[in-house]
């Protein structure tokens, strides 16, 4: 069993620190995603399941629309005029 304190973070957010030995015991590491749930007076923290997202899922999330509605990016060369200095 471990004890800690509730801390003021930023604004109205509160937080607490996990002892390293506790995290090591359950296999959590820095930057792991966790799932937090509560029921009555009990908070449960679990390592979030890893879910691989396909490129289509990532693009849909990024653009906010279905993949078939995303227009291709122009690949044509742009003419910026003649060189004005020592450009290559």
């Amino acid at each position: 069993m471990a004890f800690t304190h509730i801390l003021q973070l930023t604004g109205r957010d509160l937080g607490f620190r996990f002892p390293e030995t506790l995290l090591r015991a359950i296999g959590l590491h820095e930057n792991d995603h966790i799932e937090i749930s509560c029921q009555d007076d009990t908070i449960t923290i679990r390592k979030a399941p890893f879910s691989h997202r396909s490129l289509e899922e990532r693009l849909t999330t990024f653009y906010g629309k279905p993949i078939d509605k995303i227009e291709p990016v122009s690949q044509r060369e742009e003419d910026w005029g003649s060189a004005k200095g020592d450009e290559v």
Side-chain angles (χ1 to χ4, degrees):
M1 182 177 293
F3 294 93
T4 189
H5 297 279
I6 302 293
L7 307 169
Q8 178 72 43
L9 297 177
T10 57
R12 296 173 57 185
D13 292 336
L14 300 174
F16 55 91
R17 294 182 179 158
F18 290 100
E20 183 182 3
T21 54
L22 179 66
L23 293 176
R24 209 173 325 132
I26 60 175
L28 285 173
H29 305 282
E30 184 177 359
N31 295 321
D32 280 349
H33 289 272
I34 57 173
E35 178 182 298
I36 303 172
S37 60
C38 65
Q39 185 173 1
D40 301 325
D41 66 345
T42 303
I43 297 173
T44 304
I45 300 171
R46 293 187 176 110
K47 191 170 186 174
F50 175 76
S51 62
H52 176 74
R53 293 190 314 159
S54 67
L55 179 58
E56 182 175 329
E57 291 169 325
R58 291 171 185 246
L59 287 171
T60 300
T61 301
F62 180 79
Y63 286 103
K65 50 186 161 182
I67 195 81
D68 59 338
K69 302 290 184 197
I70 300 171
E71 297 181 21
V73 177
S74 173
Q75 301 260 340
R76 73 173 200 262
E77 188 174 318
E78 295 291 330
D79 180 12
W80 293 88
S82 60
K84 303 285 186 204
D86 294 331
E87 296 96 339
V88 175

